[in-house]
Amino acid sequence: MSSILERSLKVLEHLAAHPDGKALSTLASELEMPLSATHRLLSELIRCGYVRQDQSHGDYVLTIKLVSLGLGFLSASGVVDIAQPLLDRLASESGELVRLGVVDGDELIFVAKAQGATRGLRYDPDMGLSVNLSCSSAGHAWLSTMSDERALELVARQGFGKPEDFGPRAVTSVKSLLSHLKATRQRGFSMIVEVFAPAMTAMAAPLRDNAGAVIGVVTIAGPLVRLTEKRMLELAPALLSTTRQLAGASGASALLKKRAA
């Protein structure tokens, strides 16, 4: 049963990363699963309403049922009601993309966002995905709250970034990562320039509950042409103020309260 469940989740996760869908043979090949077993799983997922088969070309695609479940969970948790006004205000002040990530075990997941850019280039990467720890401002902010040993353990599981997958200044070594974490601890927030993506910058601060436990991060990200290092330093007080206000309100959200437990 566990094997069937694991395979089903792999299918769902793979289709989530490919919204245009996948052919049966391609899906089986990429997941290294037998064709017949893949077909049976897809048939069950179709029966349960999580997958549908596109009638025009036969590819399998996710339905919105998973999206509905996720949004329903966030709504019931109260995190959006608590965080959104604060994220909106910070986005308006910064003029950039602001996001809230929450700690989920050994991962960091973005669950809410606010877009402050009203014109020009807008930076808006995918939500709901596990945050890359070595090459993101969010990852650096979270890792900075741990010992170096624990931070390196989490990054080792995920792997370091590569410049061809991230930015030209991607963190590719232990030495580079520890240097970023040291600077983050000294400032109280992280700053990266062309680390996650070319011509993009970001900053992030850890979010703690009233007892001091780290439950998430708040980030500001945007194009280097606007969000310069000088501009990030100017925005630091507003970012840190937002995390403090979120911390004070975290007890009203079941999701954030649980992360602190």
Side-chain angles (χ1 to χ4, degrees):
M1 179 62 70
S2 61
S3 177
I4 294 174
L5 176 59
E6 184 178 3
R7 287 182 173 184
S8 299
L9 292 174
K10 283 184 177 180
V11 169
L12 292 174
E13 290 170 354
H14 200 68
L15 289 178
H18 299 87
D20 293 333
K22 286 282 183 176
L24 172 60
S25 58
T26 304
L27 190 59
S29 175
E30 292 178 350
L31 293 178
E32 299 181 344
M33 290 167 47
L35 193 65
S36 58
T38 306
H39 184 263
R40 286 195 298 271
L41 287 178
L42 287 169
S43 297
E44 281 299 297
L45 291 170
I46 288 174
R47 184 182 66 81
C48 294
Y50 291 98
V51 173
R52 64 178 175 83
Q53 188 173 18
D54 193 303
Q55 298 302 314
S56 61
H57 46 69
D59 288 355
Y60 292 87
V61 298
L62 286 184
T63 66
I64 63 170
K65 188 171 183 177
L66 276 178
V67 177
S68 178
L69 285 173
L71 292 176
F73 170 70
L74 289 179
S75 177
S77 75
V79 66
V80 175
D81 293 337
I82 296 294
Q84 200 62 55
L86 295 171
L87 300 181
D88 288 341
R89 187 171 66 188
L90 183 58
S92 177
E93 183 173 348
S94 66
E96 304 296 350
L97 176 68
V98 172
R99 291 178 293 176
L100 167 66
V102 298
V103 175
D104 188 18
D106 289 341
E107 296 186 319
L108 194 60
I109 309 291
F110 284 125
V111 299
K113 66 179 180 180
Q115 179 59 263
T118 58
R119 61 181 183 275
L121 179 62
R122 294 188 181 189
Y123 182 54
D124 199 356
D126 293 335
M127 296 289 290
L129 300 178
S130 181
V131 175
N132 177 274
L133 300 179
S134 65
C135 291
S136 69
S137 63
H140 292 181
W142 184 36
L143 295 175
S144 72
T145 66
M146 312 171 189
S147 66
D148 286 346
E149 291 75 17
R150 176 59 175 160
L152 291 174
E153 177 188 348
L154 292 181
V155 171
R157 293 182 194 174
Q158 196 179 63
F160 282 94
K162 298 178 181 179
E164 59 266 30
D165 297 328
F166 295 96
R169 300 183 185 178
V171 175
T172 60
S173 68
V174 169
K175 181 179 179 180
S176 178
L177 176 63
L178 293 181
S179 176
H180 276 279
L181 298 188
K182 180 179 179 180
T184 297
R185 293 182 184 114
Q186 291 174 341
R187 285 191 301 260
F189 59 92
S190 64
M191 288 173 50
I192 59 172
V193 176
E194 294 194 303
V195 171
F196 186 78
M200 304 305 298
T201 60
M203 62 190 301
L207 170 60
R208 301 175 184 269
D209 69 356
N210 292 325
V214 180
I215 55 178
V217 299
V218 177
T219 74
I220 303 174
L224 176 57
V225 67
R226 288 198 309 256
L227 193 60
T228 62
E229 291 188 61
K230 179 182 177 181
R231 178 59 175 156
M232 285 192 281
L233 291 174
E234 292 172 348
L235 289 171
L239 173 64
L240 295 173
S241 175
T242 298
T243 61
R244 287 193 295 270
Q245 292 176 70
L246 271 172
S250 62
S253 165
L255 178 64
L256 296 180
K257 188 190 302 181
K258 185 177 180 181
R259 293 303 174 272

